[in-house]
Amino acid sequence: MLTRATVGDVSGINGVEWDAVELPSQFMENWCYDKPTVYGFAKHYQTGEPLPEEMFEKLKEQKTFGAGMMACRQLLFGMMDMELHSNFDPNGEETIFDLQRRMAEIYTPYALPVEEDRFLCGFSHIFAGGYAAGYYSYKWAEVMSADAFGAFEEVGLDNEEGVKEVGKKFRETVLALGGGVAPMDVFKSFRGREPSPEALLRHNGLV
């Protein structure tokens, strides 16, 4: 809707590489933890009574609950996917389940698969869902979206003019350029630098 691309195949999210296609949607999720934003709409549809304070606090708390383990899980899936599609030899001695365990020993040593585990047989994302050698993009998009939201945090979420100015820049870069410009160039146009994982680690309560 906000694209400035004149060719349909690269407008909006069309033509945007896997690395960044999830950025805009994941970015919007950050506002669900901003109290003024939430209380702008979180009201009972009949009485107008606002969301109870304790429920909003629970909403914030669940964001960081088990965040470290979830991050390790996503890293495992992304790296296992990449290993399967780049280095695995189907004619070699190592089976896909051996590979799964080898990768789990690196990323989730606290939850190694049991001998009977056949998770990979149902991992449709990378075998039937279009994310073959691309599952990593979920985590990378989280990095980019958190860092993008960090630009708003830096000016102060209660700074209406500052948020408006940063929002305009976000609209003119991330939302307007579409797939006609490389995602890294789009991000650098907005942030002035390459993405940093610092904001994501902070949002997840890991730093």
Side-chain angles (χ1 to χ4, degrees):
M1 186 169 66
L2 297 174
T3 187
R4 290 188 178 177
T6 56
V7 178
D9 287 345
V10 292
S11 66
I13 61 171
N14 293 325
V16 177
E17 288 132 42
W18 266 331
D19 301 65
V21 73
E22 298 276 350
L23 167 56
S25 60
Q26 289 197 17
F27 165 82
M28 296 302 291
E29 292 175 19
N30 289 285
W31 295 104
C32 293
Y33 303 97
D34 176 55
K35 191 171 184 178
T37 300
V38 172
Y39 278 85
F41 67 84
K43 298 177 176 63
H44 191 279
Y45 80 106
Q46 287 180 322
T47 66
E49 183 181 358
L51 181 76
E53 189 82 23
E54 61 269 23
M55 289 188 70
F56 179 70
E57 290 304 316
K58 286 182 180 179
L59 178 69
K60 290 196 301 181
E61 289 171 3
Q62 63 81 33
K63 183 181 181 183
T64 56
F65 180 78
M69 295 178 72
M70 179 59 73
C72 288
R73 176 178 180 271
Q74 288 297 88
L75 289 171
L76 168 63
F77 289 172
M79 294 305 295
M80 183 164 57
D81 168 40
M82 198 64 73
E83 187 75 3
L84 281 166
H85 285 96
S86 57
N87 297 320
F88 177 67
D89 179 5
N91 297 314
E93 293 184 3
E94 185 180 50
T95 69
I96 60 172
F97 307 114
D98 293 334
L99 183 150
Q100 177 188 4
R101 186 173 186 85
R102 174 164 59 83
M103 300 305 290
E105 287 173 352
I106 299 172
Y107 294 99
T108 56
Y110 53 84
L112 297 176
V114 297
E115 192 65 33
E116 298 81 9
D117 188 293
R118 292 299 180 264
F119 162 75
L120 282 175
C121 294
F123 196 4
S124 58
H125 269 79
I126 67 170
F127 294 122
Y131 276 84
Y135 195 91
Y136 74 91
S137 62
Y138 280 114
K139 182 54 70 177
W140 182 238
E142 283 186 54
V143 170
M144 297 180 79
S145 64
D147 199 5
F149 191 72
F152 291 81
E153 293 176 314
E154 287 168 12
V155 299
L157 296 179
D158 56 350
N159 177 358
E160 189 172 337
E161 286 304 312
V163 167
K164 188 182 297 184
E165 185 176 337
V166 176
K168 182 179 179 182
K169 189 174 182 182
F170 184 78
R171 182 184 68 189
E172 293 175 347
T173 53
V174 177
L175 300 181
L177 296 176
V181 180
M184 186 60 75
D185 292 337
V186 172
F187 190 89
K188 288 195 288 188
S189 294
F190 173 59
R191 269 313 238 148
R193 57 167 173 74
E194 294 187 358
S196 165
E198 192 279 330
L200 177 61
L201 293 171
R202 178 166 46 80
H203 291 171
N204 286 342
L206 300 176
V207 292

